[in-house]
Amino acid sequence: MLFKIIVVALLGFIVLSLSTALFSMINDKGQTDRTVKALTVRIALSIGLIVLLGIGYQLGLIQPHGVH
């Protein structure tokens, strides 16, 4: 259960970072580099999530299921 909470929290942080980038892009009008930093954080979180899901699969914490 803790693993699922961590995955959902990471997804929430990814969405928060994406919305921060959108907000800074609209308000700064290209004057600062906040948008680039927010998108860099989003990419790092996404890569971390993919790695975490791979580790969870290898440890047996998550199991794939077929769609019938």
Side-chain angles (χ1 to χ4, degrees):
M1 184 67 177
L2 179 63
F3 185 78
K4 291 179 184 179
I5 293 172
I6 293 171
V7 169
V8 170
L10 272 175
L11 285 172
F13 286 132
I14 290 169
V15 170
L16 179 67
S17 176
L18 190 60
S19 62
T20 302
L22 176 65
F23 180 76
S24 66
M25 183 177 68
I26 291 171
N27 287 335
D28 292 346
K29 296 184 179 27
Q31 301 299 322
T32 64
D33 60 346
R34 288 192 317 172
T35 303
V36 174
K37 288 181 183 178
L39 291 175
T40 303
V41 168
R42 184 189 65 86
I43 291 170
L45 288 172
S46 297
I47 291 171
L49 179 62
I50 291 170
V51 169
L52 183 68
L53 289 174
I55 291 171
Y57 175 72
Q58 291 296 323
L59 294 177
L61 297 174
I62 56 175
Q63 303 253 337
H65 57 85
V67 178
H68 301 299

